[in-house]
Amino acid sequence: MIHLPVLITDLGLILAAAGITTLLFKSIKQPLVLGYILAGLLVGPHIKFIPTVTDNESIHIWAEIGVIFLLFSLGLEFSFKKLVKVGGSASITAIVEVVFMLLIGFIAGKAMGWSTMDSIFLGGILSVSSTTIIIRAFEELGVKHKKFAGLVFGVLIVEDLVAILLLVLLSTLAVSQQFAGVEMLTSILKLCFFLVLWFIGGIFLVPTFLKATKKLMNDETMLVVSIALCLIMVLLAVKVGFSPALGAFIMGSILAETTQAERIEHLTKSVKDLFAAIFFVSVGMLIDPSILVDYAVPILVITVATVLGKFLSSGLGALISGQPLKTAVQTGLSLAQIGEFSFIIATLGLTLKVTSDFLYPIAVAVSAITTFTTPYLIKSSEPFFRFLERNLPKKWVEGLNRYSSSTAGITTLSDWKVLLKAYTFNTIIHAVILIALVFVGARYLQPFITANIINGNKGIIISLVVTLIIMTPFLWALAIRRIERKAYSHLWLNKKYTRGPLVALEILRIALAICFVGVLIYQFYSTWLAISIGLLLIISGMVIFSRKLQGFYNKLESRFLLNLNAREAQNAQPEILPWDTHLVELVVAPESKLVGKTLVELSVREKFGVNIALIERGKIMIPTPGRDERLYPNDKVLVIGTDDQLAMIKELFEGSVDEQTEASFPKKDMTLQKIVINTNSPVYAQSIRSSGIRETTQGLVVGIERNGERILNPDSNMVFENGDIVWIVGNNKKVPDLLK
């Protein structure tokens, strides 16, 4: 008898339970995540009356794979460019929310008598909202086009990065079991170092590789390569002491900057859905129903703290960032839940064995409750704003409106701010690259050369020279390269106050470059004489070959920027958004009444108060289209307007089909039919064109058999003869009546 491995049996049980529960939850229009958790509860060890999973260890391995692909997909939606673009409003809102929820979670935990570590992890669990749940709710409620939705998405992007930082910090805290300031700072610096290094290296190498192999990449190879890149980054992350989830997230965010991002996201979606389902089922398996009963009061307290705390903290953050009261209220109520990152943080506590058993099921229960409440909170956000507007003191409302208007115009930067920002980025980026090169040269290149090519002192010298040559362009960029020339010139011309600080900045840059060279040489030779000679040689080389170094570095920088901006350039949208308007891309549905009409006939500006800024038709771009331009099916139209204006015109773009028209000719009635012509047939001795078959039967003659000869797609002038066998595609109810 063939023996079936337990892992396959358990996997079949998990997927069967997940399939049944998700069908149920789909029918009652509830989030599938809750269905997966329920499936895990049913097949877990705490429910005895149905078959349960036996090999829990293997399932946890599958769940770990699920976390990897879940974070990989979140990375694909994240993008560091999006993080830069979210601006101050989203960043301030996210930071205020995270800080407040960390405090609220910690205080709530301590108030209920929990341990310090449980309270800290509770704060982390409550601090991150659910991207998956919010996006789904926005799609179902049709509010993605509204202005506050853009702010919410920006907050979610910042929160994703904060969640990654929390995973690292909580891991460090769990291992040390105390608030060790030096260890925490070291972990943060280490994380920042590798984030910058992986981002720079990934953006330089991965898009270049994908472009070079584009012609060889069908869907199958693209899927394999994408997953391979994800797992390679997972290995690198684990190698340097981070979690596998971090590596998957980083590779996803790197691939999100490529022109193939949408394709990769589409191809990996099925893989992500499968393993994410296993992860969420494993989440449910860890829930003990008896704990939920025993901790019903803490669950209720934490749920209330989550909803109120997130509403108040994110709403306050939005107000501080300069958003109007309406946007702040809508944002606060949209973010009032926890989700997938909360599960991962709770799992981390269990894995490291630093949290109590009750924390995990409580987190899942709170997530389930807040998932149910999210759509209702989003739906009630606008009426609640109206209530606040009516009942708050008028001075408060007017003061908030004035504050929002005043902050909207603060966009200018002084020359000093521009210059210092550029110098800071330049120093951080090149310092990270140089540290990495020093490490690689000393730890890997020198041992390899001395072991395999030339040993002894000659091998050390060759290793040092090769490393210095590779470092030289980046040393030049750090020490000599001119940055923000216009701002620098303005400041230099102000002799009285700015020349001294500018000279000090230049000396500091050169000193940093010299330090890096000294550190490198010290890795190979510990004598000061060797270090002095090396410094002299490298400085002389940088001065003599300055132009060549500049040319080489410019090529590297151009390649990096080209890769970084490729996707943005491909999907560029103009910056044309005054006041409280915003830009939305709407697609003309084939059944829309807009199809075939000119813009002057539609009069969208006069009827709806919106402007059409751009029409994208395949590869054709029509900016600021003229009055005689027509709209065609599947045109992508960029429309400028307010929330209310866009909501009205959105329905017009989507269109609707008349139910009577749709029912008059169901798709199933279109069939292939065979008719034999005789002398009594109504179409006998008539041509195909004059017979009226097309008009009266909604049919099309696709073939005729005559005297053993088959005629495919016959000419419309062909005349029907006695004995012809006619093949017609048409309405199966009308064709027989006409031709029999």
Side-chain angles (χ1 to χ4, degrees), residues 49 52 96 144 157 173 208 226 254 319 359 363 388 409 420 425 485 552 595 610 660 693 723:
F49 58 85
T52 58
V96 170
K144 287 180 75 174
I157 289 169
L173 186 61
T208 303
S226 302
I254 290 170
L319 287 174
L359 182 60
L388 288 178
L420 290 174
F425 274 107
R485 292 175 180 271
F552 180 73
V595 172
V610 301
Q660 293 182 350
I693 291 175

Side-chain angles (χ1 to χ4, degrees), residues 570-574 576 583-588 599 611-618 620-626 629 631 635-640 653:
Q570 183 175 278
N571 304 313
Q573 291 187 356
I576 43 177
L583 192 67
V584 169
E585 182 183 276
L586 300 175
V587 179
V588 180
L599 298 186
N611 270 313
I612 293 178
L614 180 87
I615 299 175
E616 181 181 346
R617 186 172 297 145
I620 301 172
M621 298 291 175
I622 308 171
T624 56
E629 190 64 52
L631 294 180
D635 276 357
K636 295 179 181 178
V637 183
L638 293 183
V639 184
I640 301 173
F653 272 83

Side-chain angles (χ1 to χ4, degrees), residues 179-378:
F179 289 98
V182 176
E183 288 186 13
M184 298 290 279
L185 181 60
T186 303
S187 296
I188 293 172
L189 292 176
K190 183 180 177 183
L191 175 65
C192 294
F193 172 79
F194 280 105
L195 282 178
V196 174
L197 182 63
W198 286 335
F199 179 71
I200 294 170
I203 292 298
F204 190 82
L205 297 174
V206 173
T208 303
F209 167 73
L210 292 178
K211 286 177 187 175
T213 57
K214 186 177 181 180
K215 293 182 179 179
L216 304 173
M217 289 281 192
N218 58 18
D219 287 349
E220 181 181 353
T221 52
M222 178 62 82
L223 175 62
V224 172
V225 168
S226 302
I227 293 175
L229 289 170
C230 171
L231 296 179
I232 288 170
M233 185 56 77
V234 166
L235 291 173
L236 286 174
V238 173
K239 186 76 174 175
V240 297
F242 294 121
S243 68
L246 174 62
F249 183 83
I250 294 299
M251 181 49 69
S253 64
I254 290 170
L255 290 172
E257 307 297 350
T258 68
T259 55
Q260 300 293 320
E262 288 87 357
R263 183 184 178 192
I264 293 170
E265 190 173 353
H266 172 71
L267 291 174
T268 56
K269 185 178 185 300
S270 299
V271 180
K272 181 265 293 185
D273 289 342
L274 173 64
F275 287 107
I278 296 172
F279 166 70
F280 287 120
V281 170
S282 72
V283 168
M285 288 169 59
L286 293 171
I287 299 175
D288 186 347
S290 63
I291 291 180
L292 298 182
V293 175
D294 295 339
Y295 287 86
V297 174
I299 290 172
L300 181 62
V301 170
I302 295 169
T303 301
V304 173
T306 301
V307 174
L308 289 180
K310 281 185 170 286
F311 166 63
L312 294 173
S313 59
S314 52
L316 177 63
L319 287 174
I320 292 172
S321 69
Q323 295 297 319
L325 179 61
K326 180 180 180 180
T327 303
V329 171
Q330 290 173 317
T331 301
L333 290 174
S334 299
L335 293 166
Q337 81 292 117
I338 59 175
E340 56 277 358
F341 260 122
S342 302
F343 297 153
I344 295 169
I345 292 171
T347 305
L348 177 68
L350 275 184
T351 305
L352 297 175
K353 298 179 180 179
V354 294
T355 56
S356 303
D357 293 337
F358 60 78
L359 182 60
Y360 191 93
I362 286 176
V364 175
V366 172
S367 174
I369 296 170
T370 54
T371 298
F372 277 118
T373 60
T374 294
Y376 302 104
L377 290 174
I378 296 172

Side-chain angles (χ1 to χ4, degrees), residues 320-496:
I320 292 172
S321 69
Q323 295 297 319
L325 179 61
K326 180 180 180 180
T327 303
V329 171
Q330 290 173 317
T331 301
L333 290 174
S334 299
L335 293 166
Q337 81 292 117
I338 59 175
E340 56 277 358
F341 260 122
S342 302
F343 297 153
I344 295 169
I345 292 171
T347 305
L348 177 68
L350 275 184
T351 305
L352 297 175
K353 298 179 180 179
V354 294
T355 56
S356 303
D357 293 337
F358 60 78
L359 182 60
Y360 191 93
I362 286 176
V364 175
V366 172
S367 174
I369 296 170
T370 54
T371 298
F372 277 118
T373 60
T374 294
Y376 302 104
L377 290 174
I378 296 172
K379 200 180 294 184
S380 64
S381 61
E382 195 161 340
F384 186 63
F385 159 70
R386 302 294 179 199
F387 171 79
L388 288 178
E389 194 177 36
R390 288 193 306 269
N391 291 278
L392 284 176
K394 287 186 178 180
K395 289 183 178 180
W396 291 15
V397 177
E398 290 172 359
L400 289 172
N401 290 335
R402 282 197 302 272
Y403 176 72
S404 174
S405 301
S406 64
T407 55
I410 302 174
T411 56
T412 57
L413 289 174
S414 69
D415 288 331
W416 267 117
K417 286 184 178 178
V418 170
L419 191 68
L420 290 174
K421 183 179 178 182
Y423 271 47
T424 301
F425 274 107
N426 183 70
T427 303
I428 291 172
I429 289 169
H430 293 101
V432 167
I433 295 172
L434 290 168
I435 291 170
L437 290 175
V438 169
F439 180 81
V440 171
R443 293 289 184 91
Y444 295 100
L445 182 62
Q446 189 264 331
F448 176 79
I449 290 177
T450 54
N452 298 285
I453 301 175
I454 301 175
N455 57 14
N457 194 50
K458 290 182 179 179
I460 295 174
I461 293 173
I462 291 172
S463 305
L464 177 59
V465 170
V466 170
T467 308
L468 281 173
I469 290 172
I470 297 172
M471 288 174 61
T472 302
F474 305 106
L475 288 168
W476 173 85
L478 177 63
I480 301 175
R481 180 190 178 213
R482 289 287 169 219
I483 309 168
E484 292 292 346
R485 292 175 180 271
K486 186 176 180 181
Y488 192 95
S489 299
H490 289 166
L491 293 169
W492 186 258
L493 291 173
N494 189 356
K495 301 178 183 180
K496 188 174 181 181

